[in-house]
Amino acid sequence: MKKNIGIIKEISGSVVEITFDKKLPALYNELQITNTHIPLKLEVQGYTSINSVNALAFGNTQGLSRGMQVLDTGHPIEVPVGPNVLGHMFNIFGDTLDDTQIPENTPTRSIHQSAVPMDKLSVSSEIYVTGIKIIDLLAPLERGGKAGLLGGAGVGKTVLITEMINNMVGRYDGVSIFAGIGERSREGEQLYREMKEAGVLDKTVMIFGQMNEAPGIRFRLPLSALTMAEYFRDTKKQDVLLLVDNIFRFVQAGSEVSVLMGQMPSRVGYQASLGTDIAELEERISSTKDAAITSIQAVYVPADDFTDPSAVHTFAHLSANIVLSRKRASQGLYPAVDPLESGSNMLAPQIVGDRHYQIATAVRRTLAEYEELKDIIAMLGFDELPEKDQETVNIARKLERFLTQPFFTTHQFTEMDGKSVSLEDTIIGCERILSGELNDISPDDFYMSGTIDEVIQKHRNRQQKESISNDSV
């Protein structure tokens, strides 16, 4: 077949206008420039005349010049799929980044795929247990659903995502795919090493587009990750856990791309197609009758403003919102999940069961009452509260600390052994605290513990130390 060759007409930053005399390439086709010192790939974004296209460069355009030849590959960007990709780290084009090679006969698939038709979708009411107490109790995840980790910078989104990978790969017989959009190279290398040490790399695929790379790479990277996930769901009938860090950088990259393409920005400077861009990505994450893609997405909220258009459009697609609080992080309450702002569509009695629902509601009510009493305590002091309110405050402080726990992935920083707690143990623990059965135990004993039995053991150990020190005096 004769090659379709074009000529560069104009270069404007990352946007290259190319003229084709014979046949115009289709929208989203991959184009290649091979006669530069670094081979460059581009993607067709639109048509500027009857014989020319605008293409977005996935790399530095320095060194390009008018008159250079451009090859139309005849297909969109394709990535490798299937079992051969497990245990590897890739870039957006499916090239390995970890000094390994995948077999040449590995099948490939276009990153531009349609969402599953509505008649093929399956709506599940099954909980995806994470082993993290505060999430499983107050904002349970849905198998085949989309959960958002929402918060500003430095409140623990990436730590929570890496902990979920660690907990879930061992718990579920499926595949994990991590999409690092605009990641720091340090974070990518560290995550790869942690997965290797934990022995779960053979069930994990990692795809990275770094911060310093072209906006087009960050904009298309989640599509590459989704394409690999869809193959495991549709062909291998395996459940997939898709982790995205960070969805805001996808939005940011889309905004950069739209400006480069000369489109008029919309509210707060975002692209006019913001809602469509997010919807096209999110609607591909779904369950079929055979398997499911469950997604957990870190969502950076600019300046902690939850009315920001990027956050609002993302919320519309989520089945669970896990809101991370800077205030709780400053108090050392990790994971810094806000128990009153976080929520899930799954927290309904017909799905989680009446007991779980009642306990979760009671925990929220107690913590909400404590929040209201904080101002009175600050002004008048704890001793001025009525006896009933004092009891509420004591129980709330115990619940607040019981819902913290040490993570496996932060052991090197905290020197605390990580804890994964079953949903039943979490419910039992909260039930016993709410009943007042553990009123004689100090709130400090509940901090960074696993099950309620560990709390009781910690209390006994402290009492023994105190009695020994008193005897020695």
Side-chain angles (χ1 to χ4, degrees), residues 349-408:
Q350 65 270 26
I351 296 172
V352 298
D354 197 54
R355 179 170 169 243
H356 180 166
Y357 178 75
Q358 295 298 342
I359 295 295
T361 306
V363 167
R364 270 226 182 89
R365 190 188 310 117
T366 306
L367 293 173
E369 287 173 13
Y370 175 42
E371 202 61 38
E372 289 172 6
L373 292 168
K374 278 181 180 176
D375 290 339
I376 299 170
I377 295 168
M379 288 186 291
L380 304 176
F382 175 76
D383 294 333
E384 296 301 316
L385 291 175
E387 194 176 324
K388 185 174 178 292
D389 287 345
Q390 285 187 9
E391 189 180 342
T392 299
V393 170
N394 281 327
I395 288 173
R397 284 174 175 166
K398 290 179 173 69
L399 285 169
E400 210 169 44
R401 284 157 179 76
F402 178 65
L403 292 174
T404 64
Q405 74 191 83
F407 282 175
F408 292 97

Side-chain angles (χ1 to χ4, degrees), residues 148-367:
L149 297 179
L150 314 163
V155 290
K157 296 184 297 296
T158 302
V159 171
L160 208 47
I161 273 197
T162 52
E163 184 69 8
M164 285 183 181
I165 294 176
N166 183 79
N167 289 5
M168 290 181 176
V169 170
R171 196 184 290 260
Y172 294 97
D173 183 27
V175 172
S176 289
I177 296 180
F178 180 89
I181 308 171
E183 283 287 282
R184 301 166 186 88
S185 54
R186 168 184 58 79
E187 289 176 342
E189 190 276 333
Q190 185 181 330
L191 181 64
Y192 181 80
R193 201 161 12 91
E194 283 173 2
M195 295 298 102
K196 206 168 187 177
E197 287 169 7
V200 296
L201 192 61
D202 60 336
K203 285 188 175 180
T204 309
V205 184
M206 289 183 229
I207 307 166
F208 286 100
Q210 288 171 220
M211 274 184 171
N212 62 327
E213 293 188 282
I217 287 179
R218 286 177 274 127
F219 191 50
R220 290 299 185 221
L221 186 121
L223 302 188
S224 296
L226 257 173
T227 302
M228 292 183 181
E230 286 166 340
Y231 181 88
F232 284 108
R233 180 195 64 192
D234 301 334
T235 307
K236 293 293 179 182
K237 315 295 183 194
Q238 281 182 286
D239 281 357
V240 181
L241 176 65
L242 175 67
L243 301 117
V244 183
D245 184 17
N246 182 309
I247 207 76
F248 175 75
R249 295 196 194 115
F250 162 75
V251 171
Q252 208 172 31
S255 178
E256 288 179 54
V257 167
S258 73
V259 170
L260 290 168
M261 299 306 297
Q263 295 166 4
M264 186 72 75
S266 182
R267 190 173 153 230
V268 201
Y270 291 110
Q271 65 270 39
S273 59
L274 173 66
T276 308
D277 292 343
I278 292 175
E280 283 178 354
L281 173 69
E282 299 286 358
E283 289 305 301
R284 283 175 64 180
I285 303 168
S286 57
S287 299
T288 63
K289 294 173 177 66
D290 299 308
I293 298 175
T294 303
S295 174
I296 299 168
Q297 306 166 18
V299 185
Y300 167 68
V301 180
D304 293 342
D305 178 14
F306 285 86
T307 63
D308 187 89
S310 67
V312 171
H313 280 288
T314 306
F315 290 165
H317 299 276
L318 304 177
S319 56
N321 298 322
I322 299 161
V323 179
L324 298 174
S325 156
R326 197 172 300 283
K327 186 179 172 186
R328 285 178 68 85
S330 67
Q331 293 170 340
L333 298 171
Y334 291 105
V337 176
D338 190 320
L340 303 179
E341 293 292 329
S342 303
S344 169
N345 297 345
M346 299 297 283
L347 195 60
Q350 65 270 26
I351 296 172
V352 298
D354 197 54
R355 179 170 169 243
H356 180 166
Y357 178 75
Q358 295 298 342
I359 295 295
T361 306
V363 167
R364 270 226 182 89
R365 190 188 310 117
T366 306
L367 293 173

Side-chain angles (χ1 to χ4, degrees), residues 65-89:
S65 61
R66 288 175 179 159
M68 272 188 176
Q69 290 191 340
V70 182
L71 171 67
D72 172 22
T73 61
H75 58 75
I77 294 167
E78 293 181 341
V79 291
V81 293
N84 289 339
V85 303
L86 293 171
H88 295 281
M89 185 191 285

